[in-house]
Amino acid sequence: MHKLVRAAATGASATALLALAGVPAEAAATAYNTRTVTLAANPKEGMPNACVTREIHLAAGDCTWSQVPGGARVPHRDIRLAAGWYMWNDCMIPYGGYYNRHSWLSEQGSATAALADTGRLCLAGSHTFGSELAPRF
């Protein structure tokens, strides 16, 4: 009888381990670097840039890096990241009557990655700009 109880307990433990092994890991969250600013209707070159900067620790993996103006996800690029601490910068840069959006991601000792929308963005008023890093599976 004692052997039968031990065998049943061992079987139940093995079944529980198999059930846990079949549960998918929770997906990593999308990270954001955004800011809301009031933009001038007719920006002049030489006006101050509007920027947002953060330091972030990222796990190794593949991501889609996208600028996030008004809910759109363009431009974007796929990027492979090594685990480490990164400086993440996003800026609205004024020119003669328009803005460009630029994003940079840098890890100390590595080349800086860039993402730019160099289209002539004619914006005015409250505007949220920045970028996101979404894990790819």
Side-chain angles (χ1 to χ4, degrees):
M1 176 81 172
H2 183 61
K3 288 183 184 179
L4 183 58
V5 171
R6 189 179 321 149
T10 302
S13 296
T15 301
L17 287 174
L18 287 174
L20 288 175
V23 175
E26 188 172 317
T30 298
Y32 296 90
N33 189 42
T34 60
R35 178 179 173 196
T36 301
V37 295
T38 301
L39 299 174
N42 190 16
K44 306 282 187 252
E45 194 164 343
M47 290 174 63
N49 298 341
C51 297
V52 59
T53 301
R54 74 183 276 200
E55 186 174 36
I56 186 171
H57 187 271
L58 298 169
D62 295 326
C63 293
T64 298
W65 184 22
S66 308
Q67 288 185 341
V68 291
R73 300 293 185 262
V74 290
H76 68 271
R77 68 181 270 199
D78 293 334
I79 187 168
R80 174 164 284 172
L81 300 172
W85 285 97
Y86 289 81
M87 289 303 292
W88 190 1
N89 301 290
D90 286 278
C91 292
M92 294 292 290
I93 301 174
Y95 290 98
Y98 64 93
Y99 294 91
N100 285 157
R101 291 184 314 239
H102 291 268
S103 302
W104 300 273
L105 191 60
S106 60
E107 180 187 30
Q108 189 172 8
S110 297
T112 298
L115 184 63
D117 181 354
T118 56
R120 293 176 177 232
L121 302 170
C122 297
L123 304 168
S126 182
H127 183 75
T128 299
F129 71 96
S131 60
E132 70 178 20
L133 286 166
R136 289 185 323 136
F137 300 100

